[in-house]
C-alpha cells in the first residue's frame, strides 16, 4: 500500500512541477485568448459604428454615439493592454465590468419572449464565464511574461 501512495505522491509532484513550468506561457495564452474577442469586436464596431450606435439606442440607453465611442475605446485599449500585460489587473477589471454591464443590458433573457430567451441566456452565461476569467486575471495578475507586473 505504501508503494502505491508513494507512486501517487511522486506523480502528483511531477504534475505540479510541469504546471509550474507552464505558468507563464499559459498566463500569456489565456490573456491573448480572453482579450482577442474584445480587440476584434472593437475594431468591428469602428466599421459598423452606426449599427452599433443604433443597437445601443434600441435598449433605451442615452447618448448612443458617445457610448459607442467609449465601448470601442474600452474594448481596444483594455484588450490590447491585457494582451501585452500592461496594467494587466486594471485592464482585466475594466473588461470584466464592461462585460457584466453588457450582459445585463443586452442579454436580459429574463425579459424576452421564450423564442429569444434561450440564445440570450447562452450569451449571458458565456459573458459571465468570460467575466469570471477576467476577474481571475485581475486577482492573480498576468504572469511574468507581461510588460508590467500589475
Amino acid at each position: 500500500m505504501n508503494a502505491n501512495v508513494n507512486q501517487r505522491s511522486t506523480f502528483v509532484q511531477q504534475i505540479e512541477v510541469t504546471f509550474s513550468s507552464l505558468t507563464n506561457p499559459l498566463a500569456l495564452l489565456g490573456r491573448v485568448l480572453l482579450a482577442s474577442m474584445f480587440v476584434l469586436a472593437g475594431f468591428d464596431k469602428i466599421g459598423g459604428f452606426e449599427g452599433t450606435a443604433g443597437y445601443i439606442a434600441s435598449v433605451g440607453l442615452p447618448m448612443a454615439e458617445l457610448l459607442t465611442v467609449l465601448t470601442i475605446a474600452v474594448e481596444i485599449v483594455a484588450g490590447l493592454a491585457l494582451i501585452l500585460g500592461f496594467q494587466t489587473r486594471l485592464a482585466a477589471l475594466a473588461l470584466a465590468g464592461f462585460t457584466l454591464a453588457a450582459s445585463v443590458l443586452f442579454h436580459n433573457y429574463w425579459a424576452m419572449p421564450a423564442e429569444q430567451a434561450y440564445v440570450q441566456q447562452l450569451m449571458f452565461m458565456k459573458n459571465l464565464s468570460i467575466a469570471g476569467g477576467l476577474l481571475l486575471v485581475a486577482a492573480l495578475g498576468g504572469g511574468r511574461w507581461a510588460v508590467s507586473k500589475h
Side-chain angles (χ1 to χ4, degrees):
M1 174 118 171
N2 272 348
N4 286 340
V5 170
N6 287 339
Q7 285 177 339
R8 182 181 168 133
S9 177
T10 302
F11 177 72
V12 170
Q13 288 172 346
Q14 289 172 339
I15 289 174
E16 288 296 322
V17 168
T18 300
F19 274 107
S20 289
S21 68
L22 293 174
T23 297
N24 294 311
L26 288 174
L28 174 62
L29 180 60
R31 289 193 335 258
V32 169
L33 292 175
L34 278 169
S36 61
M37 177 184 80
F38 294 101
V39 174
L40 294 173
F43 281 112
D44 283 347
K45 285 176 179 69
I46 293 171
F49 188 91
E50 293 301 320
T52 301
Y55 185 57
I56 289 172
S58 76
V59 298
L61 292 173
M63 300 181 289
E65 291 81 12
L66 176 61
L67 288 175
T68 302
V69 169
L70 292 174
T71 296
I72 292 167
V74 167
E75 287 183 326
I76 293 174
V77 172
L80 290 174
L82 187 60
I83 289 171
L84 295 172
F86 177 74
Q87 298 296 320
T88 308
R89 292 174 187 239
L90 184 60
L93 193 58
L95 289 170
F98 169 81
T99 302
L100 291 171
S103 299
V104 171
L105 293 169
F106 297 101
H107 302 297
N108 56 341
Y109 65 92
W110 53 88
M112 295 187 173
E115 63 273 4
Q116 295 175 0
Y118 179 73
V119 171
Q120 291 304 318
Q121 184 178 14
L122 287 175
M123 301 287 279
F124 183 87
M125 295 308 295
K126 170 198 61 91
N127 282 3
L128 287 185
S129 298
I130 291 167
L134 289 163
L135 290 172
L136 280 171
V137 174
L140 302 174
R144 290 185 184 263
W145 293 1
V147 172
S148 62
K149 305 302 179 231
H150 304 292

